[in-house]
Amino acid sequence: MPRIVPPEERQFALVLALLATEQGLTKEQILSTVDGYHQKYTPNGDNGNLERQFERDKDALRELGVPLETVDAPGQQGNNQLQSYRVSKGDYELPDDVTFTPTELSLLQLAGTVWREGSLSGDMRRAMIKLRAAGIEPDGSMLGYAPRLKQLEPAFAPLTQAIERHETVVFPYLRPGRRVARQHTIKPLALFQFRGRWLFMGLDAVPYGAREHKLTFLLSRIVGDVVSTHERFEPPPGDHSAEALAELERLWERNTATVAVEPGSDAAIRLGRRYGGTTPDGRLLIVHYSDLTLLADELAGYGPEATVIEPIELAQAVVSRLEATAWAHRAQETA
């Protein structure tokens, strides 16, 4: 079975590959050589899902500020099959006037140990061999790096494996407002990121003959081990990640809240950057959301700097969190 490559590692490998070539790589070259894509690539076959995954990765990298360029082939304007992609080193490197203190350099070097290794991984070596075979000579200065990533969510790795193997999983899930987690038995279909949070979508493994429902779960709310039952299933056709993301985007656009923020405060700056501009007086912000409880958690963290005007359900959720925090502090003082 091919090695399972996490999304962050795949995106990092994509950046390395695009930095390693001056003329850029076509989509076909990327899918057939880059770690995270080539494991699922089918020569002369249907790679539609893989192409959509590449499109999502491009969007994710651009949101992170990676200067990913698209270059049309001569005389083939707009032909996306012949377009090449590259990352300009000049645009990606730090400006000459940016300097660091010795302490800052030490911290950067420590952080770099998460990413850096002394030699190429086996998968990256094979990718470079394939690129050379295609007549593309990679830049040697970029070849000493390979990612070593750790997922913050413990559920990430077992869910990725279960999705690859089409195996049913069992896990405890704590929904907002509940004190006891509920055990779920799910046929996982897709693992994806939305607005900086990891989620997965799957089919509720209900008794035989009943209708299976698609459910979406937030990985941070899985409060125990994800255990495979080793029972295999046949997933329904379709791009499940794209389907789940489209539904969340619809929720995001439909759900809005009005929040009063203190001008010049941390809440005004951070919420304004994430959700959009404030009103001319700098006091009101229209906030989109897909999960009311997650937004309530975020707004409660700003204390008096952010006050919910509407909807009332969100205002009540924020107040309940602030009251719980105040109660916890009083309990510590009297202990």
Side-chain angles (χ1 to χ4, degrees):
M1 179 174 292
R3 182 175 73 89
I4 298 172
V5 180
E8 288 91 346
E9 187 173 337
R10 182 182 66 243
Q11 292 166 9
F12 184 68
L14 176 59
V15 172
L16 287 183
L18 297 181
L19 279 169
T21 173
E22 296 253 339
Q23 68 268 39
L25 300 174
T26 65
K27 184 187 298 185
E28 189 79 8
Q29 289 169 332
I30 290 169
L31 300 184
S32 62
T33 61
V34 174
D35 195 27
Y37 299 105
H38 74 79
Q39 289 90 341
K40 301 178 181 179
Y41 176 75
T42 304
N44 303 318
D46 182 8
N47 294 291
N49 286 339
L50 202 57
E51 291 187 18
R52 286 187 286 273
Q53 186 178 71
F54 170 61
E55 294 299 322
R56 292 194 293 271
D57 286 344
K58 285 196 304 178
D59 292 340
L61 291 177
R62 284 170 174 152
E63 286 182 7
L64 290 172
V66 177
L68 196 154
E69 301 176 352
T70 302
V71 182
D72 285 318
Q76 297 289 334
Q77 189 78 16
N79 187 337
N80 62 3
Q81 296 302 319
L82 297 179
Q83 286 175 336
S84 60
Y85 303 89
R86 67 185 181 190
V87 173
S88 170
K89 290 184 186 177
D91 294 335
Y92 197 50
E93 293 173 348
L94 289 173
D96 294 336
D97 58 351
V98 175
T99 59
F100 299 98
T101 66
T103 300
E104 290 170 335
L105 284 173
S106 296
L107 291 172
L108 286 171
Q109 289 169 355
L110 180 62
T113 60
V114 176
W115 300 91
R116 188 168 57 246
E117 291 180 348
S119 60
L120 287 172
S121 65
D123 284 322
M124 191 65 79
R125 285 186 185 277
R126 285 189 288 274
M128 294 307 168
I129 291 172
K130 289 182 179 181
L131 287 176
R132 290 192 177 100
I136 300 167
E137 185 58 35
D139 181 353
S141 66
M142 292 303 302
L143 302 188
Y145 296 88
R148 293 187 297 173
L149 297 175
K150 299 293 183 182
Q151 299 301 331
L152 296 179
E153 305 291 352
F156 189 98
L159 281 173
T160 301
Q161 188 175 70
I163 290 170
E164 293 285 342
R165 296 178 177 178
H166 307 316
E167 291 181 348
T168 303
V169 295
V170 178
F171 57 88
Y173 192 77
L174 185 61
R175 293 192 178 277
R178 294 184 180 178
R179 296 185 178 181
V180 179
R182 176 189 167 191
Q183 199 81 351
H184 285 269
T185 303
I186 299 293
K187 299 174 180 178
L189 299 176
L191 188 63
F192 56 95
Q193 195 177 48
F194 180 75
R195 307 286 175 176
R197 294 183 173 92
W198 282 104
L199 305 97
F200 86 97
M201 186 259 282
L203 294 171
D204 194 4
V206 294
Y208 178 78
R211 183 181 177 184
E212 295 180 324
H213 296 280
K214 289 182 178 179
L215 300 174
T216 301
F217 300 88
L218 194 66
L219 263 63
S220 62
R221 291 179 181 156
I222 297 177
V223 294
D225 293 336
V226 176
V227 180
S228 173
T229 65
H230 301 294
E231 295 179 6
R232 294 181 60 84
F233 66 94
E234 186 62 33
D239 189 335
H240 305 295
S241 294
E243 176 187 334
L245 285 168
E247 176 60 27
L248 287 171
E249 285 290 355
R250 285 192 290 269
L251 286 172
W252 178 273
E253 291 297 328
R254 185 168 66 241
N255 296 331
T256 60
T258 304
V259 182
V261 291
E262 193 67 29
S265 66
D266 188 43
I269 295 171
R270 291 180 179 272
L271 292 174
R273 286 176 179 173
R274 181 169 181 183
Y275 297 105
T278 57
T279 52
D281 61 4
R283 292 185 176 276
L284 291 181
L285 184 69
I286 303 301
V287 174
H288 289 264
Y289 63 93
S290 58
D291 189 311
L292 185 142
T293 59
L294 290 177
L295 181 57
D297 290 342
E298 181 180 4
L299 295 178
Y302 293 109
E305 293 181 358
T307 303
V308 177
I309 306 301
E310 59 178 4
I312 187 62
E313 296 85 1
L314 178 61
Q316 291 171 341
V318 172
V319 169
S320 69
R321 283 156 175 75
L322 294 174
E323 289 176 341
T325 301
W327 182 88
H329 279 288
R330 287 195 297 268
Q332 288 181 352
E333 290 174 357
T334 57

